[in-house]
Amino acid sequence: MHISVMICDDLEEERAAMARMVDSYGRRHGLAIQIEGAAGGEELLAQWAPGRWDLVFLDIFMPGLSGVETARRLRAADRTCALVFATTSQEHGLESFELQVMDYLVKPVAQAAVDQAMDWFVGQEAARLRLLRVGTEGEEDAETVRVGEVDYIEICRHTAVVRAAGRVYEVRRTMDALEEELNDSRFFRCHRSYLVNLDRVQQIDHKDFVMESGDRVPISSKCAAEARRRFQEWLLAKNWGM
């Protein structure tokens, strides 16, 4: 599992201490963690790009943009990254709730507190951060993609075509093998030749799933009723956290 982390704090020694604790957690748990740092909210937002960070640690009291305002602007652009506040005060509970902040670390932050936050993050995000091998079988450094970034998989002439994060990968594996490897409730076999990620579906239009990318994925006649049921259930679970 690969995790990208941003640590935003105006004090260099605080950033370095947090980075050491996050790195220590990664080494003890066999995780590949990439850590970046920013000295303020403005610097963080200037570095932001879609999907760049999985987890962001934010100091609340910083010159310029506060951690709360930085979180508000970041959350408006990125709904998926997890946020953790690190501060000397616990007076921002309401903002934490509104911004869907994952945890609240009180300074001076101890390794045990970071470990607990990381345990929760990994447990909650494990499915999204899982990797699917899309390189040639047997290659030591086979290319991988995040399962959550897969839009859909199509079988074309005995080759599985995986569409993920705007790229296309050809995989020499059967659909049954890929479906078993994914073993993920987000994926639905809507057609003999198509496996779709419900999390990337925008709507159902007649006999097609319309993806966020604009692609259309056909739904077979025998799967039509089940497709609508599964998609409605998935939307309900996604919107209400059921």
Side-chain angles (χ1 to χ4, degrees):
M1 183 185 295
H2 179 276
I3 302 172
S4 56
V5 175
M6 160 57 74
I7 298 171
C8 184
D9 195 304
D10 60 305
L11 299 177
E12 184 177 358
E13 60 270 25
E14 298 280 359
R15 293 197 305 275
M18 183 68 75
R20 285 194 296 271
M21 288 186 282
V22 172
D23 181 67
S24 171
Y25 180 91
R27 286 187 283 104
R28 285 181 280 116
H29 291 79
L31 301 174
I33 301 182
Q34 178 183 347
I35 302 173
E36 297 182 75
E42 295 88 349
E43 183 179 336
L44 179 150
L45 294 171
Q47 295 181 43
W48 177 84
R52 179 162 183 171
W53 304 307
D54 302 309
L55 175 60
V56 177
F57 289 91
L58 275 168
D59 180 26
I60 288 184
F61 299 107
M62 297 184 291
L65 282 182
S66 69
V68 172
E69 181 57 30
T70 301
R72 185 170 287 114
R73 297 188 188 187
L74 180 61
R75 184 56 82 215
D78 191 333
R79 303 298 301 178
T80 60
C81 72
L83 303 178
V84 174
F85 280 155
T87 181
T88 56
S89 169
Q90 295 186 8
E91 297 177 356
H92 298 274
L94 179 59
E95 291 94 337
S96 299
F97 177 78
E98 292 173 348
L99 296 169
Q100 297 176 312
V101 173
M102 184 189 84
D103 207 345
Y104 212 110
L105 305 183
V106 179
K107 294 184 176 182
V109 179
Q111 180 72 60
V114 172
D115 287 356
Q116 185 175 12
M118 292 297 297
D119 280 343
W120 194 94
F121 170 77
V122 171
Q124 291 294 311
E125 299 295 323
R128 185 173 67 85
L129 300 176
R130 280 179 53 220
L131 298 175
L132 175 68
R133 176 174 48 80
V134 293
T136 303
E137 189 157 4
E139 285 185 351
E140 187 173 337
D141 298 320
E143 193 169 5
T144 58
V145 297
R146 282 191 172 173
V147 169
E149 293 180 344
V150 174
D151 291 327
Y152 61 96
I153 302 173
E154 175 186 5
I155 293 293
C156 295
R157 298 187 181 90
H158 308 293
T159 297
V161 178
V162 180
R163 300 181 186 273
R167 295 184 62 185
V168 178
Y169 306 87
E170 292 190 355
V171 182
R172 288 288 183 178
R173 297 211 289 289
T174 66
M175 184 69 88
D176 288 343
L178 285 166
E179 190 173 11
E180 183 179 353
E181 182 177 346
L182 286 167
N183 189 27
D184 192 309
S185 62
R186 290 172 292 184
F187 287 84
F188 174 63
R189 187 80 168 265
C190 59
H191 186 286
R192 181 178 63 183
S193 300
Y194 289 89
L195 182 65
V196 67
N197 184 353
L198 294 173
D199 213 23
R200 313 288 283 190
V201 173
Q202 188 174 67
Q203 62 178 335
I204 292 180
D205 181 33
H206 299 293
K207 296 182 179 180
D208 294 335
F209 279 121
V210 181
M211 311 304 295
E212 293 176 351
S213 64
D215 288 355
R216 301 178 77 94
V217 176
I219 302 169
S220 69
S221 297
K222 72 174 185 178
C223 291
E226 180 67 7
R228 291 184 180 278
R229 185 188 69 80
R230 285 286 301 275
F231 184 53
Q232 288 170 358
E233 289 181 351
W234 183 257
L235 284 179
L236 184 64
K238 185 176 179 180
N239 292 331
W240 294 95
M242 297 176 63

